[in-house]
Amino acid sequence: MKRFTIALFAILLLSTSVCATASDTADGQSPDSVYVVAYFCKNDTLEYVYTCEETKIKGSDTTTVTIEESKFRLVVLDSLATGYRIQFTELETKSPLLEDIDNANNDHRQAILRSIKAISDRNGANSPIIFTTNEFGEIQHIENWIELRDNLLKIIDTYWDDIYKAVPGASDYIDKNSFSELIKAKYSSEEQLIENIEGFPLLFSFHGSAFHTGGTTLKSEGNDEELPSTVQIAAYNFDPEEEGRDDFDPDYEVAIVTTSTAHGEEVKELLKVVMGFILNDNDNSQEVMDSLKATKDFDNATMNIHDGIEAYYWFNGWPSEIMHFNIVELEAPNNKSQSRIKTKSLECVYRSCFNFMR
């Protein structure tokens, strides 16, 4: 079971005021390396647009849906030699899925979308996140994490109550408690909350890390707990004197992509694990599971899972653009090839940084 954990989530599927300078942390840095280090200052203010999209490809048919769009602001409340205290405030958020309720393709879908929108309207804007990092920019602590967690759990419970009211019979197939517990586990601790707040952990994905310039490939044959995988790492410093560059162009980039592969019975096992989390333990759901077990469609199937982050930074450690992508490709001899691509991207649209000069 442990072997399939990563793949499962891929399928279901951050006193005295001083300003750090390069000499504080960069002593001895090698020119053939890329360092992701924070040189933030008190009152640094940046705004980012966050977008979450999902694309499904089946044969020659491609469908792309924007799941969420939001905008948020970061303000450095304090900058010390030992780290930073920062406020993350959501400015606006919307889901295009909820904007076109009347054109939903059936009554149940309309009911579900209306219940989600009602929850969103009732809860309003989220509370600001107050968090601290160390001197490198690695997230250390969310000061108000319990308040944030309790609000999220309340939303989850309300969501399922509304769904069951809107869609009679949904409880025959989907177990509210099992699915809710799976989601709640994502927010059960401060560390889990940091990882799962949309867009937030992406900002500081690589802070505190150093990478050799150029490309590196690492391979693992896998074992009882891990699928075979390949990790590709790329890091580059850009030439600040390059012709055509402007003040908003990034100074360096880092990208890491992990590819895992499953075959035949492993593919079936992955699908069974996912269905087991979602379905009720009753005759209706058992019929679905038995059908999956008996089918020959996946006997010679191959599933490739690509998970990666590509990030661009300015020299002071603030990201200009970051994209996280998760791609699940399924090739089955008796079916059309299928792919699901989920991307989460951040783009800086405003910055006011004291420590920013070329």
Side-chain angles (χ1 to χ4, degrees), residues 207-342:
H207 279 78
S209 301
F211 303 86
H212 290 294
T213 56
T216 304
T217 300
L218 306 173
K219 293 187 177 182
S220 170
E221 297 300 322
N223 51 43
D224 290 341
E225 296 184 356
E226 297 180 358
L227 292 168
S229 63
T230 299
V231 180
Q232 295 176 298
I233 305 171
Y236 300 95
N237 288 302
F238 300 135
D239 181 1
E241 304 301 325
E242 182 182 0
E243 185 177 353
R245 284 176 57 85
D246 63 37
D247 192 50
F248 221 67
D249 286 336
D251 295 293
Y252 60 93
E253 73 166 307
V254 176
I256 298 181
V257 181
T258 300
T259 299
S260 303
T261 303
H263 300 282
E265 289 300 317
E266 293 178 325
V267 175
K268 281 190 181 182
E269 190 64 28
L270 286 171
L271 296 174
K272 284 169 59 181
V273 170
V274 174
M275 299 302 289
F277 272 113
I278 297 174
L279 296 176
N280 260 329
D281 185 16
N282 58 29
D283 291 341
N284 290 326
S285 59
Q286 191 58 48
E287 181 180 343
V288 175
M289 297 293 282
D290 290 343
S291 174
L292 177 60
K293 182 178 179 180
T295 183
K296 302 293 183 182
D297 292 346
F298 302 108
D299 286 353
N300 297 304
T302 297
M303 180 181 287
N304 291 311
I305 301 166
H306 312 274
D307 194 85
I309 296 178
E310 184 175 14
Y312 295 85
Y313 299 91
W314 290 299
F315 82 90
N316 57 5
W318 286 115
S320 62
E321 291 182 78
I322 300 181
M323 182 177 70
H324 172 238
F325 59 88
N326 182 274
I327 305 172
V328 179
E329 300 172 327
L330 180 62
E331 294 283 348
N334 298 324
N335 287 276
K336 293 180 179 179
S337 62
Q338 300 181 46
S339 298
R340 192 225 62 181
I341 305 169
K342 189 169 184 178

Side-chain angles (χ1 to χ4, degrees), residues 84-104:
Y84 307 91
R85 186 168 179 263
I86 304 173
Q87 178 170 304
F88 173 111
T89 304
E90 190 170 72
L91 301 179
E92 59 184 64
T93 183
K94 63 179 181 178
S95 172
L97 287 173
L98 304 181
E99 303 302 319
D100 202 18
I101 294 174
D102 292 336
N103 290 327

